Amino acid sequence: MYATATVHFKQSVDENALIAKLATPIALPIAIGATIFATMPTPLATALTATAIYAHVGPSSVFLLMKPGDKQLQIHLECVLTPESILELKHELSRMLLNLADAAEASSQAIDNVEVMIFTHDATRIASGRYQPFAEIIGTRFRDTIIGDVLLAVVPAATSLAMNVEPEKAAITFGTTAIAVLLWLCIEARRRQKVLVYEYS
Amino acid sequence: MNTPNFEVQFITRLRDHIVSKYPELSFSVSRTPQQPDVVIENTRTGTALGVEVKGGNSANPVPPATIAVLIELSAAMKDRYPHSRRIELWVVSTGKVLPPWADILANEQIRVINADSVDDALGKLDSRLRALAAGD
């Protein structure tokens, strides 16, 4: 089982600046030797060695980075300790993408979106996922919790009115609660932007 | 273009297309990973055409691991049939196959159709199907 991820950047990606922020690389032939490519035909391994721009071998996973386009990076990831565990692979993929996103941020490069796919060894796709855009997270979250959000703003305002507090104070209570809810939504959406959402698995 | 069901849609349409236009060809869907998704045969000439379908987002290039599997698939397909028969593997992909991998596939005589949609893929494969039905 292995995972691939395509990371789309907003601008042309400076791979050297990005790699400088990642963990110390491992020599490509060593990393490739620990992957499914080790048993593949020689031309493929040779082409891969020429194409890959970074490799890392961790305690439980091996990771290759390629640059297929000006604004794209492609990742190949395998778990070497538990090669058939999809949970472990998803976990490693999330962790590695977070590292990459942090490296991109540290080198002032903006990631537009990330799409991932998980395959069995015979290249059958068994899961696919992506990072959700900010607007989509806000939209989904808003639709899911609109009733609760409205109640959160309306109930204190209605209570203020019922308790014979001035309408101005009730309006201020409603307004400030609404702003707090909106801020909360934005903070949460920002955090969830770096969470992989699997569309089917 | 995001096409999570591209494989299923394409194989269904390909089956209907062959049944209606080329009844002389046999069509079978593979149930094992060692064979292409679809095998189309001209039983009169013995020529077999394997079709492997790779869907997904067209903005994402085909990963190198998939290229490796296609090479293995082509070899397995050739091993499975008697050497006297002509065997071809065609790959229908929504994602781009980048130059180093495209060259490797070409060396292995694996043909690649890069398609935007099911109709596009069927249109591009049709000339080969016509030739196959005619005995080529």
Side-chain angles (χ1 to χ4, degrees):
Chain A
M1 199 177 289
Y2 62 89
T4 65
T6 308
V7 183
H8 300 268
F9 285 80
K10 287 183 177 164
Q11 306 288 332
S12 299
V13 57
D14 178 356
E15 65 271 26
N16 294 325
L18 193 85
I19 289 167
K21 307 283 180 191
L22 292 173
T24 313
I26 298 283
L28 281 171
I30 294 172
I32 290 171
T35 66
I36 55 168
F37 298 107
T39 56
M40 299 296 173
T42 313
L44 192 76
T46 309
L48 192 62
T49 310
T51 314
I53 55 170
Y54 173 85
H56 183 70
V57 180
S60 64
S61 64
V62 55
F63 153 57
L64 301 175
L65 192 62
M66 288 147 282
K67 189 182 176 189
D70 201 31
K71 294 181 183 177
Q72 280 181 337
L73 290 179
Q74 194 175 42
I75 289 157
H76 175 91
L77 178 81
E78 285 178 49
C79 285
V80 285
L81 285 183
T82 50
E84 299 307 320
S85 167
I86 191 168
L87 284 177
E88 183 68 17
L89 193 57
K90 282 181 174 178
H91 172 74
E92 279 294 313
L93 191 58
S94 296
R95 196 181 60 77
M96 191 268 303
L97 283 170
L98 277 177
N99 287 345
L100 194 72
D102 289 345
E105 215 169 282
S107 59
S108 309
Q109 303 187 75
I111 290 177
D112 194 19
N113 65 64
V114 173
E115 292 180 73
V116 304
M117 287 189 279
I118 295 177
F119 298 90
T120 57
H121 274 308
D122 60 15
T124 303
R125 194 172 70 234
I126 53 172
S128 73
R130 64 194 172 96
Y131 276 0
Q132 279 184 301
F134 185 78
E136 191 181 310
I137 299 170
I138 290 279
T140 310
R141 174 73 171 71
F142 192 70
R143 272 197 307 277
D144 288 350
T145 60
I146 181 70
I147 295 170
D149 293 342
V150 168
L151 279 177
L152 199 66
V154 167
V155 168
T159 312
S160 299
L161 275 177
M163 305 258 311
N164 294 323
V165 180
E166 299 88 344
E168 291 80 12
K169 282 188 178 171
I172 290 168
T173 306
F174 178 81
T176 48
T177 316
I179 289 167
V181 167
L182 201 64
L183 273 173
W184 175 20
L185 278 179
C186 290
I187 291 166
E188 197 177 271
R190 180 91 179 127
R191 189 179 56 80
R192 289 187 63 82
Q193 266 187 301
K194 288 181 186 173
V195 174
L196 277 173
V197 176
Y198 287 89
E199 282 152 352
Y200 72 93
S201 58
Chain B
M1 181 186 67
N2 206 353
T3 56
N5 292 317
F6 180 82
E7 286 97 338
V8 176
Q9 287 172 14
F10 175 75
I11 291 170
T12 308
R13 289 278 307 279
L14 180 62
R15 184 196 59 206
D16 296 346
H17 184 71
I18 287 173
V19 167
S20 64
K21 280 190 80 178
Y22 307 110
E24 60 273 45
L25 298 178
S26 78
F27 175 96
S28 59
V29 177
S30 161
R31 284 175 176 79
T32 65
Q34 290 80 31
Q35 288 179 43
D37 293 326
V38 170
V39 176
I40 305 159
E41 288 179 82
N42 184 329
T43 47
R44 185 172 51 83
T45 62
T47 306
L49 194 77
V51 182
E52 181 69 13
V53 192
K54 295 289 172 203
N57 190 332
S58 58
N60 298 338
V62 174
T66 301
I67 305 295
V69 170
L70 290 173
I71 295 169
E72 283 184 344
L73 198 60
S74 172
M77 198 182 165
K78 282 171 185 161
D79 285 346
R80 190 169 162 263
Y81 288 93
H83 291 297
S84 56
R85 292 180 61 177
R86 189 171 155 198
I87 310 295
E88 289 174 23
L89 179 63
W90 287 62
V91 180
V92 174
S93 170
T94 51
K96 278 181 292 184
V97 178
L98 297 173
W101 318 128
D103 295 344
I104 289 172
L105 292 181
N107 285 339
E108 296 289 329
Q109 292 169 342
I110 299 170
R111 277 84 166 174
V112 179
I113 290 175
N114 195 232
D116 291 332
S117 63
V118 171
D119 286 327
D120 184 33
L122 273 179
K124 287 174 176 169
L125 190 62
D126 189 59
S127 59
R128 182 65 194 104
L129 293 175
R130 197 179 315 121
L132 184 69
D136 182 15

